[in-house]
Amino acid sequence: MRPLTVLVYSMGNLLVMISIGIYYALSRPYVGIDLGGGDYWILILAGIEYGTSIMSIIWGAIADHIGRRNIILLAPLGAIPLYFIFKVNDPLLFTILAGITYTLWSIGFASSVSAVLTEKSSAGKNFTFYALSGGIGWGLGTSIAWPIYYALGIEAVSIVLTLCFGIGYLWQYIRYPRETVYAIKLHPVEIARIGLEKLRYFTLAIIFGTAGFIMGTTILALRLTYNVESVMSGLFEFIEPRFFYGIFYGGIPILASIPSRFLAGGLIMKYKPYKLYIFSIISYALIIVGMWFSSGWLFIILWLTPIYPFYDTSMYVGASMRVKGMEATASGIVIMAQSIAGLVVSLITSLTPLAYTIYVLHTTLALFIISILLIIYSVKSGKD
């Protein structure tokens, strides 16, 4: 794919991620504080956001079978629940609407991202531009979320969420690169089976690693609210502290991650993807521990550390490299693994006394360790 083709196509991902960024910046304080959900409902919500994408492997296989571009048309329907989501006053109903949206997002994403992963020689570079556009969208979305809410109200937020999500996926459908449009004659179940067989231990590693990532960062995202309020309330007396939450939640981290995004895209083509994955998991473990025992500006600085580009690049590019010709299936497997991780988090939250939040830290680190051991085992034994 030509660089200009990738950039034009990626504008759709930018719009979708503006919508997702707005949603994330508003949802954590809204559910955890305003609706009184606390840590419990925030973890349940995060688990469902990931967990509802569990069928992504099937959607990816169907896309590889009938043509990836066609599947993307289902995704814009996710704009409908987004319009209503911040108008509900119950954590359970909010979670249900979020689950519907993320189901449709995952259906579209497995096909849309596969377009930039098809050419193995340039997959790292192409994914960098695609992910960077999404990152910029995320940063914009998180930064403008609370200003839009305070200036124009929840109706304006709902309209922006709906338009960005729907138009973003329609744009990717229209601009889907024609040189990557092809279909595999195998049955979708057979395509999925082959993909899982080639990625079995990598998939397990992603499940445990993502479960740790969700548990650690979701609780800390809620704590970020309190830390931002504590450091900003005295500096700008006449501005609501939550105005700055989205800026610190996603805006500044995206700017900080731009060099890391390009670095990750280059390193993935020079080194084995599993090395980049292990690096990202170890880095997250150290950062989460540091944030757990810090507060104020130190907490915020650790939150801004740009590790995510290494994490998602290692997963998506690494999976696509192992399943040649079935990039939508590979992306679907990654999303499915993350979905299972979300369900694991929801299960752990329901069955363990996470009111004693130190257990969250212990569980997070244990999940990270298991993920790394699975990767090392798969490499040493040649299983993947």
Short mmCIF file of all heavy atoms in Angstrom, two decimals, residues 220-265:
data_model
loop_
_atom_site.label_atom_id
_atom_site.label_comp_id
_atom_site.label_asym_id
_atom_site.label_seq_id
_atom_site.Cartn_x
_atom_site.Cartn_y
_atom_site.Cartn_z
N LEU A 220 -6.66 2.42 38.15
CA LEU A 220 -5.82 3.61 38.19
C LEU A 220 -6.42 4.75 37.39
O LEU A 220 -6.17 5.92 37.69
CB LEU A 220 -4.42 3.26 37.66
CG LEU A 220 -3.63 2.29 38.56
CD1 LEU A 220 -2.34 1.87 37.88
CD2 LEU A 220 -3.34 2.92 39.91
N ALA A 221 -7.22 4.44 36.36
CA ALA A 221 -7.89 5.50 35.59
C ALA A 221 -8.88 6.25 36.47
O ALA A 221 -9.03 7.48 36.35
CB ALA A 221 -8.62 4.90 34.39
N LEU A 222 -9.54 5.52 37.38
CA LEU A 222 -10.45 6.18 38.32
C LEU A 222 -9.65 7.01 39.33
O LEU A 222 -10.04 8.13 39.67
CB LEU A 222 -11.30 5.14 39.04
CG LEU A 222 -12.41 5.68 39.94
CD1 LEU A 222 -13.36 6.58 39.16
CD2 LEU A 222 -13.18 4.53 40.58
N ARG A 223 -8.52 6.47 39.77
CA ARG A 223 -7.67 7.23 40.70
C ARG A 223 -7.07 8.47 40.04
O ARG A 223 -6.77 9.46 40.72
CB ARG A 223 -6.56 6.34 41.25
CG ARG A 223 -7.05 5.22 42.15
CD ARG A 223 -5.90 4.48 42.80
NE ARG A 223 -6.37 3.44 43.69
CZ ARG A 223 -5.57 2.69 44.45
NH1 ARG A 223 -4.26 2.87 44.39
NH2 ARG A 223 -6.07 1.76 45.24
N LEU A 224 -6.88 8.40 38.72
CA LEU A 224 -6.38 9.57 38.00
C LEU A 224 -7.32 10.75 38.19
O LEU A 224 -6.87 11.90 38.28
CB LEU A 224 -6.23 9.24 36.51
CG LEU A 224 -5.74 10.38 35.61
CD1 LEU A 224 -4.30 10.75 35.95
CD2 LEU A 224 -5.84 9.99 34.13
N THR A 225 -8.63 10.48 38.24
CA THR A 225 -9.61 11.55 38.45
C THR A 225 -9.28 12.32 39.72
O THR A 225 -9.21 13.56 39.73
CB THR A 225 -11.03 10.95 38.58
OG1 THR A 225 -11.31 10.17 37.42
CG2 THR A 225 -12.06 12.06 38.71
N TYR A 226 -9.06 11.59 40.81
CA TYR A 226 -8.79 12.23 42.10
C TYR A 226 -7.45 12.96 42.08
O TYR A 226 -7.32 14.06 42.66
CB TYR A 226 -8.80 11.19 43.22
CG TYR A 226 -10.08 10.40 43.29
CD1 TYR A 226 -10.07 9.01 43.19
CD2 TYR A 226 -11.31 11.04 43.45
CE1 TYR A 226 -11.25 8.27 43.25
CE2 TYR A 226 -12.49 10.31 43.51
CZ TYR A 226 -12.45 8.93 43.40
OH TYR A 226 -13.62 8.20 43.45
N ASN A 227 -6.44 12.38 41.43
CA ASN A 227 -5.12 13.01 41.40
C ASN A 227 -5.12 14.27 40.55
O ASN A 227 -4.48 15.26 40.91
CB ASN A 227 -4.09 12.01 40.88
CG ASN A 227 -3.63 11.02 41.94
OD1 ASN A 227 -2.79 11.33 42.78
ND2 ASN A 227 -4.20 9.82 41.92
N VAL A 228 -5.83 14.24 39.42
CA VAL A 228 -5.94 15.44 38.60
C VAL A 228 -6.67 16.54 39.35
O VAL A 228 -6.25 17.70 39.34
CB VAL A 228 -6.65 15.12 37.25
CG1 VAL A 228 -7.01 16.41 36.52
CG2 VAL A 228 -5.77 14.25 36.38
N GLU A 229 -7.74 16.18 40.04
CA GLU A 229 -8.49 17.16 40.81
C GLU A 229 -7.64 17.76 41.92
O GLU A 229 -7.71 18.96 42.20
CB GLU A 229 -9.75 16.53 41.39
CG GLU A 229 -10.81 16.20 40.34
CD GLU A 229 -12.04 15.56 40.92
OE1 GLU A 229 -12.05 15.26 42.14
OE2 GLU A 229 -13.02 15.34 40.16
N SER A 230 -6.80 16.92 42.54
CA SER A 230 -5.99 17.41 43.67
C SER A 230 -4.90 18.37 43.22
O SER A 230 -4.60 19.35 43.91
CB SER A 230 -5.37 16.23 44.42
OG SER A 230 -4.37 15.60 43.64
N VAL A 231 -4.29 18.13 42.05
CA VAL A 231 -3.19 19.00 41.61
C VAL A 231 -3.67 20.21 40.82
O VAL A 231 -2.98 21.24 40.79
CB VAL A 231 -2.16 18.21 40.75
CG1 VAL A 231 -1.57 17.06 41.54
CG2 VAL A 231 -2.77 17.73 39.45
N MET A 232 -4.86 20.13 40.20
CA MET A 232 -5.33 21.23 39.38
C MET A 232 -6.29 22.17 40.09
O MET A 232 -6.46 23.31 39.66
CB MET A 232 -6.02 20.67 38.11
CG MET A 232 -5.13 19.78 37.25
SD MET A 232 -3.57 20.57 36.74
CE MET A 232 -4.17 21.87 35.67
N SER A 233 -6.92 21.71 41.15
CA SER A 233 -7.95 22.53 41.80
C SER A 233 -7.37 23.83 42.36
O SER A 233 -8.04 24.86 42.37
CB SER A 233 -8.63 21.73 42.92
OG SER A 233 -7.67 21.30 43.87
N GLY A 234 -6.14 23.78 42.82
CA GLY A 234 -5.54 24.99 43.37
C GLY A 234 -4.93 25.90 42.34
O GLY A 234 -4.67 27.08 42.61
N LEU A 235 -4.69 25.39 41.13
CA LEU A 235 -4.03 26.19 40.09
C LEU A 235 -5.00 27.03 39.29
O LEU A 235 -4.68 28.15 38.90
CB LEU A 235 -3.25 25.24 39.15
CG LEU A 235 -2.09 24.45 39.78
CD1 LEU A 235 -1.46 23.54 38.73
CD2 LEU A 235 -1.05 25.40 40.34
N PHE A 236 -6.16 26.48 39.01
CA PHE A 236 -7.16 27.20 38.22
C PHE A 236 -8.47 27.20 39.00
O PHE A 236 -9.32 26.34 38.84
CB PHE A 236 -7.34 26.53 36.86
CG PHE A 236 -6.08 26.50 36.03
CD1 PHE A 236 -5.23 25.41 36.10
CD2 PHE A 236 -5.75 27.56 35.21
CE1 PHE A 236 -4.07 25.38 35.34
CE2 PHE A 236 -4.59 27.54 34.46
CZ PHE A 236 -3.74 26.45 34.52
N GLU A 237 -8.62 28.21 39.82
CA GLU A 237 -9.71 28.25 40.79
C GLU A 237 -11.08 28.27 40.13
O GLU A 237 -12.04 27.73 40.67
CB GLU A 237 -9.54 29.48 41.69
CG GLU A 237 -10.54 29.55 42.83
CD GLU A 237 -10.25 30.72 43.75
OE1 GLU A 237 -9.13 31.28 43.65
OE2 GLU A 237 -11.14 31.07 44.53
N PHE A 238 -11.19 28.89 38.94
CA PHE A 238 -12.51 29.10 38.34
C PHE A 238 -12.83 28.07 37.25
O PHE A 238 -13.82 28.21 36.55
CB PHE A 238 -12.59 30.51 37.75
CG PHE A 238 -12.39 31.59 38.77
CD1 PHE A 238 -11.20 32.30 38.83
CD2 PHE A 238 -13.39 31.87 39.69
CE1 PHE A 238 -11.01 33.28 39.78
CE2 PHE A 238 -13.21 32.86 40.65
CZ PHE A 238 -12.02 33.56 40.70
N ILE A 239 -11.98 27.05 37.11
CA ILE A 239 -12.21 26.02 36.10
C ILE A 239 -12.47 24.70 36.79
O ILE A 239 -11.72 24.30 37.70
CB ILE A 239 -11.01 25.89 35.13
CG1 ILE A 239 -10.78 27.22 34.40
CG2 ILE A 239 -11.25 24.78 34.12
CD1 ILE A 239 -9.58 27.19 33.47
N GLU A 240 -13.51 23.99 36.38
CA GLU A 240 -13.84 22.69 36.92
C GLU A 240 -12.67 21.72 36.71
O GLU A 240 -12.19 21.56 35.57
CB GLU A 240 -15.09 22.15 36.25
CG GLU A 240 -15.45 20.73 36.59
CD GLU A 240 -15.82 20.56 38.05
OE1 GLU A 240 -16.51 21.44 38.59
OE2 GLU A 240 -15.42 19.54 38.64
N PRO A 241 -12.15 21.06 37.78
CA PRO A 241 -10.99 20.17 37.64
C PRO A 241 -11.18 19.06 36.61
O PRO A 241 -10.22 18.66 35.95
CB PRO A 241 -10.82 19.59 39.05
CG PRO A 241 -11.38 20.63 39.95
CD PRO A 241 -12.53 21.22 39.19
N ARG A 242 -12.41 18.57 36.43
CA ARG A 242 -12.62 17.50 35.46
C ARG A 242 -12.37 17.97 34.02
O ARG A 242 -12.21 17.15 33.13
CB ARG A 242 -14.05 16.95 35.56
CG ARG A 242 -14.22 15.94 36.65
CD ARG A 242 -15.52 15.19 36.48
NE ARG A 242 -15.85 14.42 37.64
CZ ARG A 242 -16.97 13.73 37.79
NH1 ARG A 242 -17.87 13.73 36.82
NH2 ARG A 242 -17.20 13.04 38.89
N PHE A 243 -12.38 19.27 33.83
CA PHE A 243 -12.04 19.82 32.51
C PHE A 243 -10.68 19.30 32.05
O PHE A 243 -10.47 19.07 30.86
CB PHE A 243 -12.02 21.35 32.61
CG PHE A 243 -11.76 22.07 31.33
CD1 PHE A 243 -12.80 22.50 30.53
CD2 PHE A 243 -10.45 22.33 30.92
CE1 PHE A 243 -12.56 23.16 29.34
CE2 PHE A 243 -10.20 22.99 29.72
CZ PHE A 243 -11.26 23.41 28.94
N PHE A 244 -9.77 19.10 33.01
CA PHE A 244 -8.41 18.68 32.69
C PHE A 244 -8.24 17.16 32.66
O PHE A 244 -7.22 16.66 32.22
CB PHE A 244 -7.42 19.26 33.72
CG PHE A 244 -7.42 20.76 33.77
CD1 PHE A 244 -8.13 21.42 34.76
CD2 PHE A 244 -6.71 21.50 32.84
CE1 PHE A 244 -8.13 22.81 34.81
CE2 PHE A 244 -6.70 22.88 32.89
CZ PHE A 244 -7.42 23.55 33.87
N TYR A 245 -9.26 16.45 33.15
CA TYR A 245 -9.11 14.99 33.26
C TYR A 245 -8.84 14.34 31.91
O TYR A 245 -7.91 13.53 31.76
CB TYR A 245 -10.37 14.38 33.88
CG TYR A 245 -10.37 12.86 33.90
CD1 TYR A 245 -9.58 12.16 34.82
CD2 TYR A 245 -11.14 12.13 33.00
CE1 TYR A 245 -9.56 10.78 34.84
CE2 TYR A 245 -11.13 10.75 33.02
CZ TYR A 245 -10.34 10.08 33.93
OH TYR A 245 -10.32 8.70 33.94
N GLY A 246 -9.63 14.68 30.90
CA GLY A 246 -9.44 14.07 29.59
C GLY A 246 -8.10 14.42 28.98
O GLY A 246 -7.50 13.60 28.26
N ILE A 247 -7.62 15.63 29.26
CA ILE A 247 -6.31 16.04 28.72
C ILE A 247 -5.21 15.15 29.26
O ILE A 247 -4.33 14.70 28.52
CB ILE A 247 -6.05 17.52 29.05
CG1 ILE A 247 -7.09 18.40 28.35
CG2 ILE A 247 -4.63 17.92 28.64
CD1 ILE A 247 -7.02 19.86 28.74
N PHE A 248 -5.26 14.88 30.56
CA PHE A 248 -4.26 14.00 31.17
C PHE A 248 -4.54 12.53 30.88
O PHE A 248 -3.62 11.72 30.80
CB PHE A 248 -4.20 14.23 32.69
CG PHE A 248 -3.49 15.49 33.09
CD1 PHE A 248 -4.20 16.58 33.56
CD2 PHE A 248 -2.11 15.58 32.97
CE1 PHE A 248 -3.55 17.74 33.93
CE2 PHE A 248 -1.44 16.75 33.34
CZ PHE A 248 -2.16 17.84 33.81
N TYR A 249 -5.83 12.19 30.72
CA TYR A 249 -6.19 10.79 30.48
C TYR A 249 -5.73 10.31 29.11
O TYR A 249 -5.21 9.20 28.96
CB TYR A 249 -7.71 10.63 30.60
CG TYR A 249 -8.19 9.20 30.44
CD1 TYR A 249 -8.04 8.29 31.49
CD2 TYR A 249 -8.79 8.77 29.27
CE1 TYR A 249 -8.48 6.98 31.35
CE2 TYR A 249 -9.23 7.47 29.13
CZ TYR A 249 -9.08 6.57 30.17
OH TYR A 249 -9.50 5.27 30.02
N GLY A 250 -5.91 11.15 28.08
CA GLY A 250 -5.57 10.69 26.74
C GLY A 250 -4.85 11.69 25.87
O GLY A 250 -4.06 11.30 25.01
N GLY A 251 -5.08 12.98 26.07
CA GLY A 251 -4.50 13.99 25.20
C GLY A 251 -2.98 14.04 25.27
O GLY A 251 -2.28 13.84 24.27
N ILE A 252 -2.46 14.30 26.45
CA ILE A 252 -1.01 14.38 26.63
C ILE A 252 -0.34 13.02 26.40
O ILE A 252 0.72 12.96 25.76
CB ILE A 252 -0.66 14.94 28.02
CG1 ILE A 252 -1.19 16.38 28.15
CG2 ILE A 252 0.85 14.91 28.26
CD1 ILE A 252 -0.99 16.99 29.51
N PRO A 253 -0.91 11.89 26.89
CA PRO A 253 -0.28 10.59 26.61
C PRO A 253 -0.11 10.31 25.12
O PRO A 253 0.89 9.71 24.71
CB PRO A 253 -1.26 9.59 27.25
CG PRO A 253 -1.87 10.34 28.37
CD PRO A 253 -2.02 11.75 27.86
N ILE A 254 -1.07 10.74 24.28
CA ILE A 254 -0.94 10.50 22.85
C ILE A 254 0.21 11.31 22.27
O ILE A 254 1.01 10.81 21.46
CB ILE A 254 -2.26 10.84 22.13
CG1 ILE A 254 -3.30 9.78 22.47
CG2 ILE A 254 -2.05 10.92 20.63
CD1 ILE A 254 -2.89 8.36 22.10
N LEU A 255 0.34 12.56 22.66
CA LEU A 255 1.46 13.37 22.20
C LEU A 255 2.78 12.76 22.63
O LEU A 255 3.74 12.70 21.85
CB LEU A 255 1.33 14.80 22.74
CG LEU A 255 0.17 15.63 22.20
CD1 LEU A 255 0.11 16.98 22.89
CD2 LEU A 255 0.30 15.82 20.69
N ALA A 256 2.82 12.28 23.86
CA ALA A 256 4.05 11.67 24.38
C ALA A 256 4.37 10.36 23.67
O ALA A 256 5.53 9.96 23.59
CB ALA A 256 3.91 11.42 25.88
N SER A 257 3.33 9.69 23.13
CA SER A 257 3.55 8.36 22.54
C SER A 257 3.91 8.39 21.05
O SER A 257 4.23 7.35 20.48
CB SER A 257 2.28 7.50 22.72
OG SER A 257 1.24 7.97 21.88
N ILE A 258 3.86 9.57 20.42
CA ILE A 258 4.14 9.63 18.98
C ILE A 258 5.54 9.09 18.64
O ILE A 258 5.68 8.25 17.74
CB ILE A 258 3.95 11.06 18.43
CG1 ILE A 258 2.45 11.42 18.45
CG2 ILE A 258 4.50 11.20 17.02
CD1 ILE A 258 2.15 12.84 18.04
N PRO A 259 6.60 9.52 19.34
CA PRO A 259 7.91 8.93 19.05
C PRO A 259 7.93 7.41 19.31
O PRO A 259 8.55 6.66 18.53
CB PRO A 259 8.86 9.67 20.00
CG PRO A 259 8.17 10.95 20.31
CD PRO A 259 6.71 10.60 20.34
N SER A 260 7.27 6.98 20.36
CA SER A 260 7.21 5.54 20.67
C SER A 260 6.48 4.77 19.59
O SER A 260 6.84 3.63 19.27
CB SER A 260 6.52 5.32 22.02
OG SER A 260 7.25 5.88 23.07
N ARG A 261 5.45 5.38 19.00
CA ARG A 261 4.70 4.71 17.94
C ARG A 261 5.59 4.43 16.73
O ARG A 261 5.57 3.33 16.17
CB ARG A 261 3.51 5.60 17.55
CG ARG A 261 2.65 5.07 16.43
CD ARG A 261 2.01 3.76 16.77
NE ARG A 261 1.01 3.86 17.82
CZ ARG A 261 0.42 2.80 18.38
NH1 ARG A 261 0.75 1.58 18.01
NH2 ARG A 261 -0.49 2.96 19.32
N PHE A 262 6.38 5.42 16.31
CA PHE A 262 7.29 5.21 15.18
C PHE A 262 8.41 4.25 15.55
O PHE A 262 8.82 3.42 14.72
CB PHE A 262 7.86 6.55 14.71
CG PHE A 262 6.90 7.38 13.92
CD1 PHE A 262 6.24 8.45 14.49
CD2 PHE A 262 6.63 7.06 12.59
CE1 PHE A 262 5.35 9.21 13.76
CE2 PHE A 262 5.74 7.81 11.85
CZ PHE A 262 5.08 8.89 12.43
N LEU A 263 8.89 4.35 16.79
CA LEU A 263 9.94 3.44 17.24
C LEU A 263 9.44 2.00 17.24
O LEU A 263 10.14 1.08 16.79
CB LEU A 263 10.41 3.84 18.64
CG LEU A 263 11.54 2.99 19.25
CD1 LEU A 263 12.79 3.05 18.38
CD2 LEU A 263 11.85 3.48 20.68
N ALA A 264 8.22 1.78 17.73
CA ALA A 264 7.65 0.43 17.76
C ALA A 264 7.48 -0.13 16.36
O ALA A 264 7.75 -1.30 16.09
CB ALA A 264 6.30 0.45 18.49
N GLY A 265 7.02 0.73 15.41
CA GLY A 265 6.85 0.29 14.04
C GLY A 265 8.15 -0.13 13.39
O GLY A 265 8.18 -1.05 12.56
#
